[in-house]
Amino acid sequence: MNQLLKSIIENNRRYALEGKVASYIPSLAKANAEHLGICVATLDGKEFSAGDCDVKFTIQSISKVISLMVAILDNGTKNVFSKVGMEPTGDSFNSIMSLEVKNPQKPFNPMINAGAIATTALISGDSLEEKFEKIINFTRKITGNDEININEEVYLSERVTGDRNRALAYFMKSNKLIEGDVEEILDLYFRQCAIEGTCRDIARIAAMLANDGILPWSGERVISREVSRIVKTIMVTCGMYDASGEFAVHIGIPAKSGVGGGILAAVPRRMGIGVFGPALDAKGNTIAGIQVLQELSKELDLSIF
Ligand code: DON
């Protein structure tokens, strides 16, 4: 497996040259566009990796999967989906348009920015710190990595420049889709986006989802089989934003991307995969990372369809 992963990384490195690192969050522009790494975590606890698999990156939108799980654990599925939908959009991840023109005006799904902000707003706690502790502790548990933390610089960089998300959040507050202190909700959202990890951490979260909610390395159940099923289904339809359809056809694995260059991909009952390559395509997904997943999916026949 290590040999296979190594050759797939080398075969696809050239695609990174066709992409661009994200720069709308200024501190992400410092990433090395040539990095490319992968880690595979199997359900019997084995891990395989290749390329730049030990380089840390901020998980960005991959955190939407985490906050969705925490919000469901706190509120139940029914309450969460009364505030956010389950439908793909076909629009970009930070689109404002559909919030106003659709009826009911709730965000389409928890994987786009508006939907994730609404989901994060549901996480309970007496203070911002307590809510954040809940998210970070859950992340440490599902990665098996107690050292998981946030990248302060990226967090502050997004907090200063995140006016698009501010617009989404204030619009939702005016429509009573979110309640409470908008700046505090945004702060929590910016922190979760700045959680830092490696391909290995991402592969472990994916392995838990692939294993129906049980941590493969300890046997501990962290979410129900039902919640795991719902999260993976939403990843298939919405996880790659307006590229979800194409990704389903070519790769066929429940997945979630982030503008830090990561993708979390959970192959039900087989394996968790984490890939990382900061050069992105026009839709905000890692350009070489997608090629890597495509080759791996073909090679090991991983499509669920
Ligand atoms: O809110 C944002 O714009 C970023 N913190 C996360 C966006 C993101 O990762 C979209 N992913 N492809």
Side-chain angles (χ1 to χ4, degrees):
M1 181 73 106
N2 279 328
Q3 208 46 48
L4 171 69
L5 297 181
K6 190 167 175 221
S7 75
I8 292 177
I9 289 288
E10 294 319 320
N11 292 345
N12 292 288
R13 271 194 192 279
R14 66 199 149 94
Y15 287 103
L17 302 172
E18 295 169 24
K20 279 203 182 96
V21 301
S23 58
Y24 77 101
I25 300 173
S27 133
L28 290 184
K30 294 182 185 166
N32 180 345
E34 289 176 19
H35 276 156
L36 189 61
I38 185 166
C39 179
V40 166
T42 55
L43 302 196
D44 55 4
K46 294 199 183 79
E47 291 174 354
F48 306 91
S49 54
D52 302 300
C53 55
D54 294 319
V55 175
K56 283 190 189 168
F57 56 95
T58 55
I59 66 173
Q60 296 297 336
S61 285
I62 296 172
S63 71
K64 292 167 178 168
V65 173
I66 299 173
S67 53
L68 175 60
M69 290 188 279
V70 175
I72 292 178
L73 288 173
D74 265 9
N75 301 275
T77 310
K78 211 168 146 207
N79 286 331
V80 170
F81 289 104
S82 70
K83 300 280 188 198
V84 58
M86 296 184 175
E87 302 301 335
T89 62
D91 299 324
S92 61
F93 63 82
N94 55 7
S95 174
I96 292 178
M97 192 170 52
S98 64
L99 269 186
E100 185 168 34
V101 297
K102 296 288 186 225
N103 196 10
Q105 290 183 326
K106 65 182 183 183
F108 264 62
N109 67 68
M111 301 287 117
I112 52 171
N113 288 11
I117 293 167
T119 310
T120 297
L122 294 173
I123 293 172
S124 64
D126 287 338
S127 63
L128 171 63
E129 288 315 319
E130 199 179 307
K131 293 175 194 179
F132 182 64
E133 282 301 303
K134 210 182 239 181
I135 296 176
I136 201 88
N137 286 337
F138 187 69
T139 309
R140 288 175 183 146
K141 173 163 272 213
I142 61 179
T143 54
N145 181 356
D146 285 341
E147 281 164 25
I148 291 281
N149 237 314
I150 69 169
N151 180 318
E152 268 313 305
E153 184 189 325
V154 174
Y155 154 62
L156 293 173
S157 177
E158 183 166 27
R159 200 173 71 166
V160 170
T161 57
D163 290 331
R164 179 92 173 198
N165 286 323
R166 241 170 226 114
L168 292 169
Y170 278 101
F171 188 84
M172 288 191 288
K173 170 130 194 210
S174 77
N175 278 344
K176 302 201 168 26
L177 281 165
I178 59 176
E179 288 165 21
D181 182 336
V182 176
E183 288 302 328
E184 192 181 294
I185 293 165
L186 284 164
D187 205 286
L188 188 59
Y189 171 77
F190 294 144
R191 288 191 203 192
Q192 74 176 52
C193 289
I195 291 174
E196 202 170 43
T198 64
C199 289
R200 186 176 309 274
D201 298 311
I202 301 299
R204 287 189 180 170
I205 302 174
M208 176 277 286
L209 286 166
N211 201 27
D212 291 334
I214 295 174
L215 302 176
W217 54 92
S218 68
E220 182 185 354
R221 175 172 289 288
V222 289
I223 53 171
S224 69
R225 187 186 164 112
E226 175 68 358
V227 171
S228 160
R229 184 185 65 76
I230 292 170
V231 170
K232 279 177 288 193
T233 312
I234 291 178
M235 284 163 63
V236 169
T237 53
C238 314
M240 305 297 289
Y241 307 111
D242 42 339
S244 298
E246 208 177 324
F247 190 88
V249 169
H250 294 306
I251 295 153
I253 304 173
K256 180 75 206 84
S257 62
V259 289
I263 298 182
L264 175 158
V267 189
R269 290 175 268 287
R270 288 189 66 180
M271 64 182 71
I273 307 168
V275 298
F276 163 60
L280 308 180
D281 63 21
K283 293 183 174 175
N285 297 319
T286 166
I287 193 162
I290 287 187
Q291 296 298 324
V292 164
L293 278 176
Q294 186 164 334
E295 193 175 333
L296 187 67
S297 176
K298 281 220 176 73
E299 204 59 49
L300 301 180
D301 193 18
L302 298 180
S303 173
I304 62 169
F305 298 105

